[in-house]
Amino acid sequence: MGQAIPYIIMAAAAGAQQYNTTRTANRQDAQAAAGIRQQGVRQQEADNRVHEQVAAMEGSTAADERAQRLDEYLTGLRRNRPSIESGLTPNVGSAAFRGDSARAAGDVQDYATRAAGLLSRIDAPAMQRQGEAFDYGRLATDIGLIGRQSAGDQFISDLRLRAIRRNPWIDAASQVAGAYGGSLAMSGAGTGAASAQYTPAQYGGSAVYSSARTAPGIYGVA
């Protein structure tokens, strides 16, 4: 049993080295997996933003822009109506003249209203495309921001991954134990060889002694 102790110590040292290697590799794998998951989260954010923009494009119409531009035209007409009608509503002349002037002023307003409707129809598609261009710009800005966040996450993950090291205390202890076990094994082998060299053959050794030389006179040999 005593001869096996050095080998047990060396085996324990090798096991400690393997444990440290496996533990370090597992920690590195866990950190790499965490980094990949975070990249997946950022990619999902980018995909959701793109899908949101695509859905907005699918439902995009010029109706809102047309209504907006028509309201702007009509607001301008209402604001300028007194100056438009000032020359068409005289306070002089016969009743028939003033009636005709009032109808003319109404016709001018009706024409301006119809023209505003036509112009709003013309302007609406251009306004729609302009709004979509702004949406594209905002989408590009958001995607760029997500990309910068993803690059930052990857940089931090790489730093954490490089910071994972083997436990130096385990390595040092296993090296000391391995060296100690090896020295015990070497000394044990040397002691065993020396002991066998001087142990008589009849007792399991390799030494052969002559009874006449080692114990003269005991067995009746002079």
Side-chain angles (χ1 to χ4, degrees):
M1 180 63 183
Q3 295 179 351
I5 291 177
Y7 302 101
I8 293 175
I9 294 175
M10 288 189 291
Q17 286 278 357
Q18 183 61 36
Y19 165 78
N20 202 12
T21 300
T22 303
R23 180 172 177 270
T24 302
N26 290 339
R27 291 175 59 198
Q28 291 174 342
D29 290 344
Q31 180 57 48
I36 293 173
R37 286 193 297 270
Q38 183 61 29
Q39 291 297 310
V41 170
R42 295 302 184 189
Q43 184 62 51
Q44 186 63 43
E45 291 178 3
D47 292 343
N48 292 340
R49 183 65 182 86
V50 172
H51 293 162
E52 177 184 346
Q53 186 60 42
V54 170
M57 286 290 299
E58 290 177 350
S60 176
T61 64
D64 293 339
E65 287 77 6
R66 177 189 173 192
Q68 176 185 350
R69 184 49 60 92
L70 179 60
D71 181 69
E72 292 174 356
Y73 283 138
L74 294 179
T75 299
L77 289 175
R78 286 191 296 267
R79 185 172 56 249
N80 297 319
R81 184 171 183 176
S83 61
I84 295 174
E85 294 182 351
S86 61
L88 299 176
T89 55
N91 295 323
V92 295
S94 64
F97 177 75
R98 289 195 296 272
D100 291 340
S101 297
R103 284 191 294 274
D107 291 341
V108 169
Q109 286 296 327
D110 291 341
Y111 174 78
T113 300
R114 291 195 299 272
L118 291 175
L119 290 174
S120 65
R121 287 176 179 271
I122 295 172
D123 293 344
M127 295 176 62
Q128 178 189 7
R129 298 296 177 260
Q130 185 179 27
E132 291 173 352
F134 287 142
D135 290 339
Y136 289 145
R138 285 189 289 269
L139 174 62
T141 300
D142 293 343
I143 295 299
L145 176 60
I146 294 174
R148 289 190 294 274
Q149 290 173 340
S150 177
D153 293 339
Q154 185 62 46
F155 179 73
I156 293 174
S157 178
D158 290 341
L159 287 179
R160 291 174 177 172
L161 186 61
R162 287 194 293 269
I164 297 175
R165 296 287 189 271
R166 296 172 61 87
N167 190 324
W169 299 106
I170 295 178
D171 285 340
S174 62
Q175 290 173 2
V176 171
Y180 178 67
S183 64
L184 286 181
M186 292 292 293
S187 63
T191 303
S195 177
Q197 181 181 359
Y198 296 104
T199 301
Q202 60 268 32
Y203 297 111
S206 59
V208 177
Y209 295 99
S210 172
S211 59
R213 296 176 57 190
T214 57
I218 295 178
Y219 299 102
V221 179

